[in-house]
């Protein structure tokens, strides 16, 4: 694949960013794409591996060497077809996926993986620019109806695949716009939302109906869906946040990351403040912000806080600081544990690890956060005596992850069986729940995960539903 000696002749060269002082002035995407000649050169580095681990490193099993080779040969149209054969929304993954495929790349053994994510994004962006991406309208309809609950990446992938199989699909979304956490949890500076709108228009042309502002289990019952649809797919995500259980956590200055991020995304979409923040505006402007949680959501809070003009931003994490580099012999081709510094961190942020929160300080509002340093002994977390300290804070954002799907409403009504972690119980082959007519996929089934895993599960679930309705399926897994 590519040029046989490409990886020997060329080093890895990836996309760049606009300077922080420029990008902090707005919420637009700031990645600077590579010129086409550079993309072709980088694609040529894809070596003819005996076993291309990028295939299995990618949750949707993208056929990466094939489209790298096609880009190298300047055959972008066929590269797009190969890319779409496994991934409904490569413009999403090309922007917000952490690229486990690159971690699995053979050239990552020497820290020079192929720039897979950048090439993927360039292929699909070129496809849209050239009008190559069009609705795929089925030749005939099956007469079967499917309700998809949730319009995040899992729900959208399932809906699109089922519509292309000829079923009549209706997507129910409780929010005012489709997209799930991609819409309201991912900041615009990482992925602008016109990308979601564009796919929604394609899906509507393919026969998908979107019903926004409709919460299943509240505004419409699960029984109503059972009576009116032949199949139901639960793809509502894992939205139940992990709470901060310490004294003072009830103060008004302690808020959930998703509330903070959602408000800003709604402002960016043009909503007035009453619609964007019906329970009161939440901003970091002029405040000392502490973000609890060291993952991607915490990083998104950092970038948003800096754009809002925070006085300072500090991100703390309870786990110890990861190593700067992984041990390749132990980790490759799997996703490694190592220190990751995001573009938001580079814009300005203090980071600290192995920190346990003890008490929120304040009267009517937050003024600080009492913490203590911890270490691990015999597999247990132990506080380090005499290491207590207090951080100044006006706003504390909780980005500690999610513990599973919300149970009230839809899941309580559906009475589906849950697994030991509180997720909807369904296996990765049939995706069938314990209740008749109901399937489940994405974070609602597997717990919080990556967009690329959600797309995979949505596609596989669609095939399982199609097979159950029709006795067979031509949809790919």
């Amino acid at each position: 694949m590519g040029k046989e000696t490409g990886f020997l002749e060329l080093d890895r060269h990836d996309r760049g960013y606009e300077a922080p002082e420029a990008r902090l002035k707005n919420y637009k995407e700031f990645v600077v794409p590579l010129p086409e000649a550079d993309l072709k050169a980088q694609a040529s580095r894809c070596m003819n591996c005996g076993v291309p681990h990028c295939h299995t490193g990618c949750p949707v099993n993208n056929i990466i060497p094939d489209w790298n080779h096609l880009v190298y040969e300047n055959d972008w149209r066929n590269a797009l077809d190969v890319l779409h054969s496994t991934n409904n929304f490569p413009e999403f993954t090309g922007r917000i996926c952490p690229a486990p495929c690159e971690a699995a790349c053979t050239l990552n053994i020497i820290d020079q993986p192929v720039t897979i994510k950048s090439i993927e994004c360039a292929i699909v962006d070129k496809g849209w620019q050239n009008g190559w991406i069009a609705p795929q309208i089925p030749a005939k309809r099956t007469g079967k109806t499917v309700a998809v609950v949730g319009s995040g990446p899992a729900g959208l992938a399932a809906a699109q695949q089922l519509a292309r199989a000829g079923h009549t699909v209706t997507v129910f979304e409780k929010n005012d716009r489709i997209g799930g956490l991609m819409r309201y949890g991912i900041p615009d500076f990482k992925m602008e939302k016109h990308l979601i709108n564009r796919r929604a228009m394609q899906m509507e042309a393919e026969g998908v109906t979107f019903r926004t502002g409709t919460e299943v289990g509240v505004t419409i019952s699960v029984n109503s869906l059972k009576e009116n649809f032949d199949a139901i797919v639960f793809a509502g995500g894992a939205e139940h946040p992990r709470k901060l259980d310490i004294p003072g956590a009830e103060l008004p200055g302690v808020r959930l990351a998703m509330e903070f991020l959602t408000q800003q995304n709604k402002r960016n979409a043009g909503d007035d403040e009453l619609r964007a923040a019906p329970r009161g505006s939440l901003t970091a402007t002029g405040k000392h912000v502490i973000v609890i949680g060291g993952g991607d959501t915490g990083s998104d809070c950092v970038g948003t806080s800096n754009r809002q003009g925070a006085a300072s931003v500090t991100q703390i994490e309870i786990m110890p600081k990861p190593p700067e580099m992984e041990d390749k012999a132990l980790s490759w081709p799997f996703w490694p544990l190592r220190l990751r510094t995001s573009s938001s961190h580079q814009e300005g942020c203090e980071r600290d690890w192995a920190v346990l929160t003890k008490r929120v300080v304040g009267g009517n509002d937050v003024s600080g956060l009492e913490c203590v340093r911890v270490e691990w002994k015999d597999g247990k977390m132990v506080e380090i005596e005499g290491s207590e300290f207090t951080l100044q804070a006006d706003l504390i954002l909780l980005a500690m992850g999610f513990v599973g799907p919300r149970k009230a409403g839809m899941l309580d009504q559906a009475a589906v069986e849950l697994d030991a972690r509180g997720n909807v119980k369904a296996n990765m082959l049939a995706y069938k729940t314990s209740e008749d007519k109901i399937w489940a996929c994405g974070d609602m089934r597997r717990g919080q995960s990556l967009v690329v895993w959600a797309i995979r599960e949505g596609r596989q679930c669609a095939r399982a539903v199609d097979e159950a309705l029709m006795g067979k399926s031509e949809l790919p897994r």
Side-chain angles (χ1 to χ4, degrees):
M1 295 298 171
K3 184 180 181 182
E4 289 186 359
T5 57
F7 72 98
L8 296 172
E9 299 171 11
L10 296 168
D11 289 333
R12 174 184 169 94
H13 173 51
D14 207 353
R15 298 175 290 188
Y17 299 142
E18 292 180 10
E21 56 269 22
R23 68 192 196 226
L24 282 172
K25 295 177 181 178
N26 58 66
Y27 290 87
K28 299 294 185 182
E29 290 183 15
F30 52 81
V31 173
V32 180
L34 289 175
E36 188 170 312
D38 287 358
L39 286 163
K40 291 173 60 179
Q42 289 299 304
S44 79
R45 299 183 64 248
C46 188
M47 56 196 297
N48 193 14
C49 300
V51 179
H53 289 284
C54 57
H55 282 189
T56 51
C58 172
V60 294
N61 304 124
N62 275 333
I63 312 171
I64 294 163
D66 293 50
W67 44 257
N68 275 333
H69 182 70
L70 290 165
V71 168
Y72 171 59
E73 294 197 327
N74 205 35
D75 191 352
W76 293 83
R77 183 68 181 266
N78 278 323
L80 179 67
D81 291 341
V82 174
L83 178 56
H84 268 145
S85 71
T86 57
N87 186 350
N88 294 64
F89 315 118
E91 65 268 45
F92 302 164
T93 53
R95 286 168 168 82
I96 59 178
C97 179
C101 53
E102 294 188 14
C105 177
T106 300
L107 286 173
N108 191 40
I109 295 174
I110 57 170
D111 298 318
Q112 288 279 312
V114 175
T115 57
I116 298 169
K117 180 176 173 179
S118 294
I119 297 168
E120 173 187 40
C121 197
I123 293 170
V124 68
D125 285 353
K126 182 178 280 289
W128 283 109
Q129 291 162 9
N130 286 282
W132 298 336
I133 301 174
Q136 297 181 27
I137 301 171
K140 61 180 181 178
R141 296 290 177 182
T142 65
K144 301 293 185 180
T145 58
V146 183
V148 176
V149 184
S151 66
L156 291 179
Q160 185 166 61
Q161 292 296 95
L162 287 164
R164 289 175 175 178
H167 306 306
T168 300
V169 181
T170 302
V171 177
F172 294 86
E173 170 56 55
K174 68 178 184 297
N175 290 314
D176 56 349
R177 300 178 177 92
I178 71 160
L181 288 187
M182 288 193 304
R183 169 77 65 179
Y184 288 132
I186 301 294
D188 285 12
F189 56 79
K190 289 175 67 175
M191 190 181 84
E192 294 180 17
K193 303 309 180 282
H194 68 86
L195 301 170
I196 302 173
N197 301 340
R198 187 170 60 187
R199 280 294 181 184
M201 291 176 63
Q202 178 196 36
M203 291 175 65
E204 287 176 331
E206 292 170 345
V208 177
T209 299
F210 292 102
R211 290 184 56 181
T212 57
T214 306
E215 184 170 359
V216 175
V218 178
T219 53
I220 185 172
S221 70
V222 173
N223 282 338
S224 176
L225 295 188
K226 281 190 170 184
E227 291 170 0
N228 290 283
F229 292 89
D230 297 307
I232 305 167
V233 175
F234 282 179
E239 295 185 321
H240 188 58
R242 183 173 284 107
K243 300 293 180 65
L244 182 65
D245 189 17
I246 61 174
E250 73 284 352
L251 290 174
V254 181
R255 309 293 281 270
L256 294 172
M258 279 303 141
E259 181 184 8
F260 176 68
L261 296 172
T262 296
Q263 285 193 12
Q264 187 56 56
N265 280 1
K266 287 193 170 187
R267 294 185 192 103
N268 294 344
D271 289 357
D272 60 31
E273 201 61 19
L274 181 61
R275 187 176 178 187
R279 294 188 296 173
S281 296
L282 174 59
T283 65
T285 308
K287 296 176 182 177
H288 297 282
V289 179
I290 295 177
V291 179
I292 303 178
D296 290 338
T297 300
S299 170
D300 294 342
C301 288
V302 170
T304 302
S305 295
N306 280 325
R307 281 163 178 75
Q308 291 182 354
S312 69
V313 185
T314 302
Q315 184 179 22
I316 59 175
E317 165 61 46
I318 196 171
M319 299 301 291
K321 185 177 181 179
E324 294 282 344
M325 289 300 299
E326 70 270 26
D327 184 338
K328 301 288 189 192
L330 293 176
S331 64
W332 182 85
F334 302 107
W335 185 249
L337 175 65
R338 64 175 177 83
L339 180 64
R340 302 177 193 280
T341 299
S342 72
S343 58
S344 291
H345 295 139
Q346 295 169 350
E347 293 164 359
C349 173
E350 294 294 325
R351 305 169 73 187
D352 206 350
W353 291 265
V355 174
L356 175 67
T357 58
K358 298 292 289 184
R359 184 174 75 93
V360 178
V361 181
N364 294 328
D365 213 332
V366 171
S367 61
L369 181 64
E370 290 183 0
C371 306
V372 64
R373 300 198 177 277
V374 295
E375 60 183 348
W376 274 257
K377 293 182 178 179
D378 300 323
K380 295 182 179 180
M381 185 177 66
V382 179
E383 296 182 16
I384 299 174
E385 188 175 351
S387 67
E388 298 84 359
F389 63 99
T390 301
L391 294 169
Q392 182 181 2
D394 304 306
L395 174 63
I396 298 174
L397 298 172
L398 308 182
M400 303 180 297
F402 301 88
V403 295
R406 295 189 306 157
K407 310 301 188 297
M410 183 177 74
L411 293 188
D412 284 347
Q413 284 186 17
V416 291
E417 186 178 349
L418 305 179
D419 64 18
R421 298 170 59 205
N423 302 316
V424 178
K425 188 174 182 179
N427 65 41
M428 288 184 68
L429 181 62
Y431 288 89
K432 188 75 174 60
T433 72
S434 59
E435 291 297 308
D436 184 44
K437 283 190 171 185
I438 302 177
W439 285 256
C441 62
D443 289 6
M444 183 165 271
R445 190 204 71 84
R446 68 180 293 116
Q448 69 170 60
S449 189
L450 305 175
V451 166
V452 69
W453 271 108
I455 294 172
R456 169 183 172 148
E457 293 217 350
R459 288 171 60 88
Q460 292 187 339
C461 183
R463 178 185 169 91
V465 172
D466 185 39
E467 194 168 21
L469 292 177
M470 306 303 295
K472 62 179 181 178
S473 178
E474 296 182 359
L475 290 176
R477 276 184 58 85

